[in-house]
Amino acid sequence: MKLDYSVMIVGAAILIVPASEDVADFDDAVNCVLFAQLVANKQLEKQPGINWYDAYADVFDGFWLRQVKARQDRYLPPENTESVVEWVVAALANAGADSEPLVSEVLSRLINVSDTDPAIKLLRSHVQATVEEPSPERPMPATDVRLLIMVARSPSSLSSVFVEMKTRQVLSPNPLAHLFRGEDVEGLVSLRYTKANLSHTLYDPVRDDVALKIKNRIAANVALLTFADESAEANKS
């Protein structure tokens, strides 16, 4: 089945782009999103108490102009079990985002992608840091979970939902299939919705510098995801 979209994993981000476009046309979006994540990661290493998303947004906002910003905080009752897909779709619906049906479809498909898929393994490594399995002698500490869901309608237009929370669970190998137990979630689940346009005035003068800084990080942090039915169709042809 021919899909209307392509999906790329960019660090902790799922980037959805039109299948009618060459993915290379979205290099600016990929480079900006990856560069902002890498800077935020480095700042968090140096100052563990800072807010990762604020550090990410400081870099991202240097290239993209955010037209819409909204934040929702969700409380997950101890007896509830919910998924990140539910939260993202609800956040988009609450914001009145026209990308909600597309994101819902893509995430529903991603839930069923094998956790051995290289792109899913890459995403999992960024969504939650590696932690040791808990034991009776060593309870699981609360660790950060971070995920960006992004839709690029064009190379210069991005909408996104950022999900952040702390959990005492080790995530499933496919993090989108994971069910979060309220009793293991520490604090609130934070969801931030944004719409932004690339500022050529801001980005064009530094485009080459950004590309050079992340040149050696692309292979280890960016992957194009291929769905099983796409592979089957390609093999037929």
Side-chain angles (χ1 to χ4, degrees):
M1 179 177 67
K2 182 67 174 178
L3 302 179
D4 295 330
Y5 49 81
S6 299
V7 176
M8 285 185 283
I9 303 303
V10 184
I14 298 171
L15 177 61
I16 305 166
V17 303
S20 57
E21 304 270 0
D22 188 332
V23 293
D25 293 340
F26 294 85
D27 280 354
D28 285 346
V30 170
N31 291 353
C32 288
V33 170
L34 178 58
F35 180 61
Q37 289 184 63
L38 293 174
V39 172
N41 292 344
K42 180 60 68 175
Q43 291 187 10
L44 191 63
E45 287 179 12
K46 295 179 179 178
Q47 303 174 24
I50 68 169
N51 182 280
W52 185 92
Y53 183 77
D54 288 345
Y56 163 87
D58 281 347
V59 179
F60 183 81
D61 289 350
F63 313 131
W64 294 71
L65 301 179
R66 289 194 282 176
Q67 312 299 320
V68 178
K69 293 190 288 185
R71 176 170 178 167
Q72 303 167 32
D73 291 324
R74 295 174 66 101
Y75 169 67
L76 186 58
E79 67 276 10
N80 281 26
T81 301
E82 299 178 9
S83 73
V84 69
V85 175
E86 296 176 67
W87 301 332
V88 169
V89 172
L92 290 170
N94 290 338
D98 59 5
S99 58
E100 184 263 326
L102 172 63
V103 171
S104 179
E105 177 186 345
V106 172
L107 296 185
S108 295
R109 294 176 64 86
L110 288 176
I111 287 173
N112 297 311
V113 174
S114 170
D115 55 43
T116 62
D117 185 286
I120 292 296
K121 293 173 71 173
L122 171 63
L123 179 67
R124 173 62 181 82
S125 70
H126 284 273
V127 170
Q128 183 187 46
T130 302
V131 291
E132 294 183 11
E133 287 287 348
S135 68
E137 299 78 24
R138 188 182 61 253
M140 174 74 178
T143 58
D144 292 309
V145 171
R146 302 185 186 95
L147 175 67
L148 275 159
I149 312 294
M150 316 189 84
V151 177
R153 297 289 191 185
S154 73
S156 58
S157 175
L158 273 177
S159 62
S160 68
V161 175
F162 173 69
V163 183
E164 185 174 38
M165 59 178 293
K166 286 182 177 291
T167 181
R168 288 181 291 275
Q169 290 177 276
V170 177
L171 266 58
S172 305
N174 181 339
L176 295 172
H178 186 82
L179 294 176
F180 292 90
R181 300 190 302 262
E183 61 184 352
D184 291 318
V185 172
E186 184 177 287
L188 301 174
V189 178
S190 177
L191 299 118
R192 307 195 196 203
Y193 170 72
T194 66
K195 288 183 69 175
N197 294 321
L198 180 65
S199 169
H200 290 284
T201 300
L202 295 172
Y203 188 61
D204 287 359
V206 297
R207 175 182 284 109
D208 292 342
D209 290 338
V210 171
L212 183 61
K213 287 178 179 178
I214 64 170
K215 178 181 178 182
N216 295 328
R217 308 294 292 276
I218 290 287
N221 292 282
V222 178
L224 181 64
L225 193 146
T226 303
F227 293 101
D229 46 4
E230 285 184 301
S231 298
E233 191 71 26
N235 290 334
K236 288 180 182 177
S237 57

